[in-house]
Amino acid sequence: MAATAYPAEPTDLFVLLYDALPDALFRGWTATEWHDDPQVRRQAGEISEIVLDTGVLDPAVTARHVEEKGDLGRFTVLLGLDIALAHVNPYGPYHDAPALTGALVNYLTDGRFNGPGTQGALLPRCAFPGRPLGRRTKAEFFGLHRIPPDEWERIDHSVLPAVNDPHFTRDQPVTVGCAPVLESFDDIEIDFERRHGMTVYRLRPMDSVMVRTRIKAIIRRLDESGAQLAVMPELSLSDSLLEHWKEVAFDTADRDRDRRPLRFILLGTGPLGTTDPPPNRAVLLDRWTGQELLVQDKLSGFTLDAAQMRLWRLPDAPAAGTAEEYATPGSKISLLDSSLGRLAVLICEDLSRSIGWERELLSCGVSHLLVPIFSKPILEHRWEQQGAERQVGSLGTWVTVANSLVVGTAIPHSEMPERRYTCLVAGPESLARTAYSLKLQFGAAEAGDQLGLTGDPSSPLPAVLPGAAYDLWHPHWPPPHPDRDWMRRPGAWRRVRRGAPTRGRCHACARCRTRPATPVRLISCRSPGHRGRERGRFRACLR
């Protein structure tokens, strides 16, 4: 391919080379051997320095690598671009890449790094599969997610503006409050009827004084607990209750984050809108502004069988046969990027029937799944935990499941003697992907306006970690600086050979953009991230 066929802009170039690299290379060990080759690492480091310094890569450089080495050349350039673009990943460990500001602006305004010259999307990584790291898939070699055009069509993706962002701190736990809201079948309306030759059912919450009073108590208790994220269960919303939630949440909001840090509230789900049948829709609310940040319709309706209807004691349920949920299924998956990570919502049955959405979420690298459900009580080792474990392993995501008390109140303890819970939070146990380690946090509430507590006095509320990308997952990334004062330490800079001084300003290191503390001649940056061959060089003046 001629040099003119390669774009100079690094994000579009990454998309072009990534798509051209055969998937078959990653089914064996070829890509792993390339990735561990010191010469490949060195050349990738040189490419990253060029891109960080200039913001582009000369198409002739790309063409030379590809012509001389074929797929190995493509892979080498991709590694170099990946290192450079890690410096504009808002979830990454690096900062200060002014030459690549255009890519960051594209992401903040258009929701993707790449420009109009390429189809599909290129997104920053903020999660990594939670299983032990062995032979990597194609996507796992890089700190970027390439979403093909056909999958991108099914995604409704947005980046949260700074005015709406809670600005969660990387590596600091975010506490989660889950309240059941609904306590018994007195709090919901349920109807069975014949439609389209089959039995269907409708579920909706009662808009009663009791439910509205609980909503106010839930907001108060969330504030008192210091919860930063709240998740309500399925079927706790109607059009009128949605407006009530917004009013109560906004009226009690406080800009003092230390007193009332709660900002994001998933208000649960319910039949919203005027269509027939309505969607079973989830709404994520910004408490400070009252804006709906994310809306997700349930993708898969749930079919009740006769045994479930008897166990759940559903009022007026048919004695035999099945009943299909009467709702319009969703056709797209909504994603929201914020300082918490890349959020998605799955509603009850969606967590079990993953075939309809798992490919898209894996391509996009979702870091947090919020899962409101309407079901029997959450028990250990059952479908909620199994579904959460699957997503932690395949996506590396944090999963929050929230349930109501309705079905559990109807089922006698003699028929279900196990310990009952109303919420579950699951996520990776540690950053190191060396074992199948899972962190499970079960919470239980006794009333609709209480929060699910873990029983741990030191951490009564479950917690998640914000989405992030770590150099630990990508060996070709240079280690980040532990702090910005390392260049002032003794021996941080050294002279590598004699030479005439270059008059003028002191130039920053091409890799880390920092300057020496004292005027020197030709020097080598000795940052902890630039040891050995990764050392960045530049000339500095003798003033």
Side-chain angles (χ1 to χ4, degrees):
M1 186 180 287
T4 54
Y6 295 106
E9 202 281 324
T11 58
D12 286 344
L13 178 60
F14 187 99
V15 169
L16 184 68
L17 295 178
Y18 187 94
D19 291 351
L21 205 58
D23 293 343
L25 287 172
F26 301 88
R27 299 191 188 107
W29 299 98
T30 302
T32 301
E33 294 171 354
W34 288 349
H35 184 261
D36 295 338
D37 188 331
Q39 183 176 2
V40 171
R41 294 276 187 92
R42 178 182 60 78
Q43 292 175 345
E46 293 171 353
I47 290 170
S48 71
E49 291 183 7
I50 294 172
V51 176
L52 284 170
D53 193 42
T54 65
V56 295
L57 184 64
D58 188 343
V61 174
T62 305
R64 185 176 69 250
H65 278 276
V66 174
E67 290 171 3
E68 292 178 356
K69 299 182 180 179
D71 287 335
L72 173 57
R74 293 185 181 91
F75 185 78
T76 303
V77 175
L78 280 170
L79 288 182
L81 297 174
D82 187 65
I83 296 170
L85 292 171
H87 290 71
V88 290
N89 182 341
Y91 304 106
Y94 313 110
H95 305 282
D96 191 20
L100 294 173
T101 301
L104 185 58
V105 170
N106 280 348
Y107 168 71
L108 296 176
T109 56
D110 299 333
R112 60 179 196 168
F113 275 143
N114 52 313
T118 50
Q119 301 298 312
L122 190 66
L123 298 180
R125 179 180 289 279
C126 60
F128 199 84
R131 62 182 181 274
L133 185 58
R135 181 168 47 186
R136 297 171 183 255
T137 65
K138 184 178 181 180
E140 290 169 1
F141 278 96
F142 307 104
L144 296 163
H145 289 283
R146 166 60 177 148
I147 302 95
D150 60 329
E151 295 178 18
W152 188 242
E153 287 295 320
R154 288 202 65 206
I155 300 295
D156 185 6
H157 175 261
S158 60
V159 178
L160 193 64
V163 66
N164 295 113
D165 202 302
H167 301 290
F168 292 113
T169 303
R170 176 188 169 101
D171 300 325
Q172 293 297 315
V174 175
T175 51
V176 183
C178 300
V181 185
L182 308 175
E183 294 183 348
S184 70
F185 283 116
D186 292 335
D187 293 328
I188 68 169
E189 299 177 40
I190 181 167
D191 299 313
F192 291 90
E193 57 186 286
R194 295 289 294 180
R195 291 285 186 113
H196 310 292
M198 62 191 306
T199 301
V200 299
Y201 67 91
R202 300 171 182 260
L203 287 171
R204 65 185 69 83
M206 294 286 288
D207 188 353
S208 63
V209 173
M210 182 67 72
V211 171
R212 287 181 174 241
T213 301
R214 280 190 211 130
I215 290 173
K216 293 179 181 179
I218 289 169
I219 293 293
R220 184 182 71 251
R221 285 180 169 158
L222 286 168
D223 285 334
E224 292 171 352
S225 70
Q228 299 164 276
L229 170 68
V231 182
M232 303 300 117
E234 185 182 15
L235 299 175
S236 57
L237 272 188
S238 64
D239 289 318
S240 56
L241 287 179
L242 173 60
E243 295 307 314
H244 182 66
W245 271 106
K246 290 181 178 180
E247 180 182 343
V248 174
F250 182 78
D251 288 347
T252 57
D254 193 322
R255 296 303 190 270
D256 187 347
R257 294 178 182 172
D258 294 329
R259 289 184 63 245
R260 295 180 178 178
L262 178 64
R263 185 74 182 270
F264 286 170
I265 310 176
L266 183 71
L267 303 177
T269 82
L272 301 183
T274 59
T275 59
D276 184 31
N280 186 351
R281 179 169 293 168
V283 177
L284 180 68
L285 184 73
D286 177 1
R287 183 188 186 185
W288 283 10
T289 65
Q291 290 179 271
E292 297 179 6
L293 303 179
L294 180 146
V295 171
Q296 177 65 59
D297 293 344
K298 190 174 184 178
L299 301 171
S300 304
F302 181 62
T303 301
L304 290 163
D305 63 21
Q308 286 173 317
M309 288 186 276
R310 287 193 297 270
L311 175 65
W312 292 14
R313 275 72 171 175
L314 293 176
D316 303 320
T322 62
E324 171 71 19
E325 181 177 356
Y326 191 63
T328 298
S331 59
K332 285 199 170 188
I333 300 167
S334 298
L335 301 181
L336 178 69
D337 284 15
S338 72
S339 59
L340 180 61
R342 186 162 297 131
L343 281 70
V345 174
L346 299 175
I347 302 171
C348 202
E349 180 71 355
D350 294 338
L351 182 62
S352 296
R353 293 168 62 175
S354 60
I355 193 170
W357 51 263
E358 201 163 43
R359 183 182 66 165
E360 284 77 11
L361 294 194
L362 182 61
S363 291
C364 293
V366 171
S367 65
H368 292 78
L369 284 174
L370 308 182
V371 187
I373 68 172
F374 180 85
S375 184
K376 60 183 182 297
I378 296 173
L379 307 176
E380 292 186 29
H381 311 299
R382 300 300 177 88
W383 72 271
E384 301 94 344
Q385 180 177 337
Q386 293 168 7
E389 288 179 349
R390 174 181 172 86
Q391 301 315 318
V392 174
S394 60
L395 301 176
T397 185
W398 285 88
V399 182
T400 300
V401 183
N403 195 10
S404 67
L405 291 165
V406 174
V407 179
T409 301
I411 301 176
H413 279 272
S414 59
E415 295 186 26
M416 192 175 288
E418 300 98 324
R419 179 76 169 94
R420 302 181 178 193
Y421 301 97
T422 54
C423 65
L424 164 64
V425 174
E429 180 71 35
S430 68
L431 294 179
R433 300 301 194 251
T434 57
Y436 291 102
S437 56
L438 186 74
K439 184 173 185 179
L440 293 172
Q441 304 164 81
F442 289 92
E446 300 298 328
D449 57 3
Q450 294 180 3
L451 304 184
L453 303 179
T454 63
D456 182 354
S458 63
S459 180
L461 290 180
V464 300
L465 284 175
Y470 295 92
D471 61 293
L472 184 66
W473 302 335
H474 303 288
H476 60 284
W477 284 11
H481 304 314
D483 57 60
R484 301 305 298 172
D485 295 326
W486 62 268
M487 80 279 288
R488 298 188 181 93
R489 298 172 188 163
W493 301 86
R494 70 182 177 91
R495 189 174 302 165
V496 294
R497 68 177 175 82
R498 294 185 181 276
T502 302
R503 298 294 174 181
R505 67 185 180 88
C506 290
H507 295 281
C509 170
R511 181 178 293 275
C512 66
R513 325 307 264 195
T514 51
R515 303 179 189 279
T518 57
V520 290
R521 289 189 175 92
L522 183 64
I523 60 175
S524 177
C525 170
R526 299 192 71 193
S527 152
H530 297 172
R531 297 190 181 106
R533 296 179 180 176
E534 298 298 323
R535 212 170 272 163
R537 291 188 175 186
F538 59 90
R539 286 186 180 274
C541 68
L542 287 176
R543 290 191 295 269

